[in-house]
């Protein structure tokens, strides 16, 4: 059972890495202009998508797992530790390291008018 689960997780990681690399290749749609703030936020997010995808793909699988469980699944540090079978403190250090790398890889934020 564990062998099957391990193989499935490895396959999922490979697929996920390929997906992030593919997303990094995607261009950005031109700014439609004249839309409300919600649309502007969406456009800004689209602009960051390739950079974020590259940055996520560059993380180690262990660091990426922690980031995605925190950001997408919105799990607590305790839940992440339980899911991954790692100590609570390791979750915090991996998350801190991954966040630093992601911030360094993303373009600097500029505030709007």
């Amino acid at each position: 059972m564990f062998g099957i689960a391990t193989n499935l997780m490895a396959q999922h990681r490979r697929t996920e890495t390929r997906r992030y690399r593919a997303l990094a290749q995607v261009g950005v749609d031109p700014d439609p202009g004249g839309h409300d703030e919600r649309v502007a936020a969406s456009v800004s997010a689209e602009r960051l998508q390739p950079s974020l995808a590259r940055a996520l793909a560059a993380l180690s699988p262990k660091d990426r797992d922690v980031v995605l469980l925190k950001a997408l699944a919105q799990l607590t540090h305790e839940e992440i530790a339980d899911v991954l079978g790692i100590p609570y403190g390791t979750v915090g250090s991996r998350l801190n390291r991954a966040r630093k790398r992601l911030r360094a890889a993303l373009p600097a934020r500029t505030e709007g008018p």
Side-chain angles (χ1 to χ4, degrees), residues 17 20 23 35 44 49 55 73 84 86 88 96:
T17 300
Y20 287 132
L23 284 172
H35 291 276
S44 295
Q49 188 176 12
L84 298 178
I86 59 177
Y88 175 88
N96 186 40

Side-chain angles (χ1 to χ4, degrees), residues 45-91:
E46 285 182 29
R47 286 187 179 145
L48 281 178
Q49 188 176 12
S51 299
L52 181 58
R54 273 192 299 277
L56 284 169
L59 291 176
S60 72
K62 291 178 179 181
D63 288 350
R64 186 172 48 244
D65 287 346
V66 172
V67 167
L68 294 178
L69 287 171
K70 183 69 175 175
L72 298 179
Q74 298 180 347
L75 298 181
T76 65
H77 282 50
E78 293 92 0
E79 292 169 329
I80 294 170
D82 288 341
V83 167
L84 298 178
I86 59 177
Y88 175 88
T90 303
V91 172

